[in-house]
Amino acid sequence: MKHAKNKNMDKTININLNSSQPSIDNIPVRRKIQKGKKFFLERSIKQGGTNRFQKYSYFRLDDIIPVVVEFMEKENMISWFDMKKRRAKLTICDLDSNTCAEYRIPLPKVEKANTTEAMKTIGALQTYAERYLYLQAFEIVVPDTIEQERPTTFKPKNIRE
C-alpha cells in the first residue's frame, strides 16, 4: 500500500494498488477509465471477427488493442493481462495518481490428454479472456441484433386455426 497526497484534498489517502472495488483509493484511475469509455464510443470501432456458422460478428483483440494503446498513451496509463490456473485478470493503472483497477473473470479447467491440444485451448482461453476483460473495462458495446432479427409477429407452426 502506498501513501499519496490527493491534489483535491489536503490530506493523505491510502492507495491500494490491488484494489478491484471502487473506493476513494482508486477513483482517479476509474475516472480515466470512464474517459476511455467515451474515447471508445467516439472511435466507433468495427467488429473484425465473424462466426460464419452461428452468423454473428465479434470484436477481435486487434480491433480493440490499437484504441486501448492510443488511449493509454494519451492518458499516461498502462494495462496488463495476467492468467492464473482458474482466473484471468486485467489491471489498468493511472501513472499520474498511482492508482489501479482490476477486472477478473474465472477460467474453466483445461483437461486435455494431448499437450498440443491443451496448449491450443490455453491460447484460446487467453485470447477470449483478454478480449472480454477489455470489453468489460471499457464497456465496449454494439447494438443488439438479436432483437432486431426476430420476427415482429410469432405464429407457431402446425397449429390449426
Side-chain angles (χ1 to χ4, degrees):
M1 187 169 297
K2 291 187 176 185
H3 298 283
K5 190 84 166 180
N6 187 327
K7 294 175 186 175
N8 299 327
M9 297 182 210
D10 290 335
K11 67 177 187 172
T12 301
I13 60 171
N14 293 323
I15 297 175
N16 183 348
L17 294 179
N18 293 316
S19 179
S20 60
Q21 297 298 316
S23 70
I24 192 154
D25 294 349
N26 65 6
I27 286 176
V29 71
R30 292 195 180 273
R31 280 186 183 154
K32 285 192 178 182
I33 292 169
Q34 186 65 33
K35 286 173 69 174
K37 294 172 186 178
K38 183 178 179 191
F39 191 81
F40 266 92
L41 286 172
E42 291 170 346
R43 295 297 175 285
S44 298
I45 61 172
K46 304 291 182 213
Q47 296 174 317
T50 304
N51 183 318
R52 292 185 186 119
F53 300 107
Q54 295 181 345
K55 299 179 182 172
Y56 67 88
S57 298
Y58 58 91
F59 289 110
R60 298 183 325 196
L61 278 176
D62 61 350
D63 300 324
I64 299 166
I65 296 297
V67 181
V68 168
V69 169
E70 181 184 357
F71 175 73
M72 296 281 184
E73 286 287 319
K74 179 179 179 242
E75 294 296 327
N76 198 29
M77 298 174 76
I78 59 171
S79 67
W80 64 90
F81 174 78
D82 180 33
M83 236 172 78
K84 301 283 187 211
K85 280 185 179 181
R86 299 305 301 251
R87 66 122 184 99
K89 177 175 73 172
L90 175 67
T91 305
I92 300 175
C93 294
D94 172 20
L95 299 176
D96 295 330
S97 67
N98 291 325
T99 57
C100 297
E102 292 179 349
Y103 299 86
R104 301 175 192 174
I105 57 172
L107 295 174
K109 188 174 183 178
V110 176
E111 295 182 15
K112 300 282 182 179
N114 180 320
T115 304
T116 304
E117 289 301 314
M119 290 306 297
K120 286 180 183 178
T121 301
I122 291 168
L125 279 173
Q126 180 176 352
T127 301
Y128 279 107
E130 187 173 4
R131 181 180 58 196
Y132 289 136
L133 287 167
Y134 275 113
L135 292 173
Q136 177 186 359
F138 291 102
E139 296 180 5
I140 301 166
V141 296
V142 294
D144 287 333
T145 56
I146 294 171
E147 295 296 325
Q148 296 168 2
E149 292 173 358
R150 288 188 183 150
T152 54
T153 58
F154 174 74
K155 186 174 183 182
K157 295 180 180 180
N158 301 325
I159 302 260
R160 295 182 193 155
E161 294 183 18

